[in-house]
Amino acid sequence: MATVPVVDLARRAAALEPELSAAIAEVLAAGVFLLGPQTAAFEEEFAAFCGRRHAVAVASGTEALRLALVAMGLGPGDEVIVPAMTAVPTAAAVVAAGAVPVFADVRRDTAGLDPVAAAGAVTDRTRAVIPVHLHGFPADIPDLGVPVLEDAAQAHGALDPAAPSVAAAYSFYPTKNLGGIGDGGAVVTDDDDLAALVRELRNHSRGADYDHPHVTGNSRFSEIEAAALRIGLRRLAADNARRREVAAAYRAAAPDLGWPPDHPRHVYHLCVARVPDRDAWRAARPFETGIHYARALTQQSGYRRYVRAACPEAEAWAAECVSLPCFPEITDDEIEAVCRALQ
Ligand SMILES: Cc1ncc(COP(=O)(O)O)c(C=O)c1O
């Protein structure tokens, strides 16, 4: 058997055929390529899936974070607390919004933002906090007395619709649980005004009378992307269930690996365990593995100026995390092969 991959997008594309080609043909025939009827329909369907009133589709997950922050009124000098263990875009979006990211340490067991560390990072300039549902594991929502923006880029289907957050930012990067065939993202919220403002900001803030009340830019959404995501959305619940099945098999086969606790809403965007001697362990496995992520934000050279306090738990995660093969199209034989090699 060929090496089992961490993820295989060619299988995904094959699984979505022939629906995908038909949907693309429909977009081409309609002759509307950006922010048209497919986007509107996808927004309605994704908001319903999330149990929120609005989804506003934008150009990427990074843009979803940035535009949500701008719409929340964040600007120069304002501080936003982010976990030190996350994908770099969480912090990049804060900087792009004109604000200052403040790194706080994460929980040893889950890699989610540690509410105690987050509380310790609060200053009189703190204006928001971004818990990240890393790897698809539902993070704690800290109560810091400031608005919460959830980074749900890795967590389609994992969020609590009743969580006290202002909005959630999703990515539809192709490997995500709901992944497209290009870039995309969405701001999901119950706040009518916030949704309306993000909708305006995504398209040069083009208003009535040729007026542009805000300086913003282009964060429009492709109709082909929307059509592809509508197909993926219909399978998302089943895909997430399959990911949970894969992870359950690995966890049963190797109970001594450093697993996060069980959580009923974990959607296993990545099936990650902690392994102390990671390099040797990876080298000895006959299947592909990945690292998400090899550096905490405190260890990123471009972000040094934002480091205020040590984040040892985040750096320990960076040193030990390993991602195992986990995607909905993985075969039973491949799961068994990984399980055998884990024992
Ligand atoms: C946790 C997290 N936040 C934000 C992003 C940014 O999403 P995108 O790549 O769609 O801009 C990603 C994906 O890369 C992510 O994993």
Side-chain angles (χ1 to χ4, degrees):
M1 186 191 294
T3 306
V4 184
V6 171
V7 64
D8 184 347
L9 291 179
R11 286 190 219 179
R12 173 117 199 110
L16 297 182
E17 284 292 356
E19 287 170 277
L20 209 47
S21 291
I24 292 169
E26 198 184 315
V27 171
L28 296 179
V32 179
F33 302 127
L34 294 167
L35 298 181
Q38 294 290 340
T39 303
F42 171 66
E43 289 177 333
E44 198 171 307
E45 291 160 8
F46 190 57
F49 176 86
C50 296
R52 298 281 192 177
R53 287 168 60 82
H54 306 281
V56 184
V58 298
S60 69
T62 312
E63 278 290 279
L65 287 164
R66 182 184 72 84
L67 291 173
L69 289 168
V70 170
M72 286 160 67
L74 273 284
D78 292 342
E79 294 180 359
V80 181
I81 296 175
V82 303
M85 186 60 190
T86 181
V88 161
T90 312
V94 173
V95 177
V100 178
V102 175
F103 307 148
D105 213 352
V106 298
R107 282 174 52 159
R108 179 175 299 187
D109 56 346
T110 68
L113 181 63
D114 177 350
V116 176
V122 171
T123 74
D124 58 4
R125 288 190 298 278
T126 306
R127 295 289 177 271
V129 57
I130 307 183
V132 179
H133 304 294
L134 197 68
H135 309 147
F137 188 98
D140 301 310
I141 307 292
D143 180 5
L144 305 179
V146 294
V148 175
L149 170 61
E150 296 178 78
D151 183 336
Q154 304 190 359
H156 314 70
L159 275 61
D160 174 1
S165 63
V166 170
Y170 287 85
S171 164
F172 305 122
Y173 181 76
T175 60
K176 302 301 193 209
N177 289 42
L178 180 57
I181 50 175
D183 271 317
V187 177
V188 172
T189 182
D190 282 332
D191 184 323
D192 299 351
D193 294 338
L194 186 92
L197 185 50
V198 173
R199 216 171 270 288
E200 180 190 316
L201 291 172
R202 72 178 168 184
N203 193 12
H204 300 296
S205 181
R206 190 175 296 158
D209 296 335
Y210 305 97
D211 187 32
H212 296 71
H214 303 280
V215 178
T216 167
N218 166 15
S219 198
R220 292 185 292 250
F221 200 73
S222 148
E223 283 286 279
I224 285 182
E225 181 74 356
L229 288 169
R230 293 181 72 194
I231 294 166
L233 185 55
R234 292 199 280 272
R235 309 166 63 118
L236 180 55
D239 285 350
N240 282 346
R242 177 65 171 164
R243 288 174 185 273
R244 287 193 183 106
E245 214 172 85
V246 175
Y250 297 166
R251 293 176 72 124
D256 294 336
L257 282 186
W259 297 108
D262 267 321
H263 192 299
R265 291 200 318 274
H266 192 342
V267 291
Y268 288 97
H269 168 57
L270 293 160
C271 183
V272 175
R274 281 176 69 157
V275 180
D277 193 4
R278 181 173 63 197
D279 290 350
W281 191 90
R282 292 181 78 200
R285 301 302 126 190
F287 53 83
E288 202 178 276
T289 54
I291 300 180
H292 301 87
Y293 297 95
R295 288 171 190 257
L297 293 181
T298 44
Q299 298 169 302
Q300 293 291 351
S301 57
Y303 290 79
R304 241 172 238 145
R305 79 195 74 163
Y306 302 112
V307 177
R308 292 185 186 171
C311 294
E313 298 297 346
E315 294 184 10
W317 269 96
E320 295 185 353
C321 60
V322 181
S323 308
L324 306 180
C326 187
F327 52 103
E329 299 78 23
I330 192 169
T331 67
D332 290 344
D333 285 351
E334 287 174 322
I335 297 170
E336 264 176 47
V338 173
C339 286
R340 271 196 306 277
L342 283 174
Q343 279 156 2

